[in-house]
Amino acid sequence: MLQALAHEKMYTIDDIYVLPDGKRAELIDGQIYYMAPPSTTHQRLVHFFDREIGNYIQKNSGECEVFPAPFAVFLNKDSSNYVEPDLSIICDKNKITEKGCNGAPDWIIEVVSPGSRTMDYYKKLFKYRSAGVCEYWIADYEKALVIVYDFKNDHVTNYTFSDNIPVNIYPGFSINVCL
């Protein structure tokens, strides 16, 4: 006797939009991943990057915009992928709508939390690369480490928080993490 395999429910962006108020989640390949509230250290680091990058762009009359989470990114312009990176830096104004970003941001920074480690280091790494993100930073405050994935040049570099970390999409700009 043949038995049918159980199918995992595939979710869509519509399911994200009907979550109860205050409940945050991301959608990757039709699967929902709920997000825990960020810690104070996490938020300090997000704010630090937001301020440093935003100030640099403003001072240099740059075209890119910085969007801290929660900010919707529709990675593959489909209904089964929706993420809220800690920071999305978008240089193509045509991707920005009132709902968020349609397509891959140029640069994404994720600040690792204990509950997001697997997502940030594995699932999102693959999704961001395949979606066309140029540069992806994983900032891990527990390890005082920033891993820079320069997808454009197929290069990965580890930096400590005390290093000057070069920004590949902005040659000449580097960030030294100080909290």
Side-chain angles (χ1 to χ4, degrees):
M1 177 174 170
L2 292 176
Q3 219 172 16
L5 294 175
H7 290 326
E8 253 184 39
K9 177 169 171 46
M10 295 299 286
Y11 295 92
T12 69
I13 291 167
D14 291 337
D15 295 304
I16 294 291
Y17 281 116
V18 297
L19 290 174
D21 285 345
K23 191 82 161 166
R24 289 183 51 217
E26 294 178 305
L27 182 68
I28 297 179
D29 296 329
Q31 296 303 303
I32 290 182
Y33 298 91
Y34 293 98
M35 300 186 318
S39 70
T40 300
T41 303
H42 179 280
Q43 290 302 91
R44 281 187 182 126
L45 196 49
V46 169
H47 179 67
F48 168 80
F49 282 123
D50 183 25
R51 190 177 59 242
E52 290 290 308
I53 297 163
N55 287 344
Y56 178 84
I57 291 170
Q58 184 177 28
K59 181 179 164 190
N60 292 281
S61 302
E63 293 295 317
C64 302
E65 286 188 70
V66 183
F67 295 94
F71 181 74
V73 174
F74 307 95
L75 272 181
N76 300 99
K77 299 181 186 176
D78 62 19
S79 65
S80 62
N81 288 284
Y82 165 99
V83 292
E84 292 182 1
D86 289 314
L87 284 166
S88 300
I89 298 85
I90 303 159
C91 302
D92 181 352
K93 305 269 188 225
N94 294 320
K95 290 182 178 181
I96 302 169
T97 69
E98 282 303 309
K99 287 195 170 204
C101 177
N102 288 316
D106 295 86
W107 179 16
I108 288 177
I109 298 175
E110 292 285 8
V111 176
V112 176
S113 298
S116 73
R117 192 166 293 282
T118 300
M119 287 292 290
D120 295 338
Y121 278 101
Y122 301 103
K123 280 194 187 297
K124 287 185 177 180
L125 172 65
F126 174 76
K127 288 309 288 184
Y128 293 160
R129 182 181 188 126
S130 62
V133 171
C134 297
E135 188 166 349
Y136 174 42
W137 288 21
I138 299 175
D140 192 329
Y141 55 84
E142 287 183 354
K143 297 178 180 179
L145 181 72
V146 176
I147 303 172
V148 175
Y149 293 90
D150 177 359
F151 294 137
K152 216 174 189 182
N153 297 305
D154 201 28
H155 195 271
V156 180
T157 309
N158 293 342
Y159 296 94
T160 66
F161 277 13
S162 60
D163 291 331
N164 283 323
I165 306 168
V167 176
N168 296 301
I169 69 165
Y170 277 117
F173 176 37
S174 63
I175 297 174
N176 180 274
V177 179
C178 52
L179 291 180

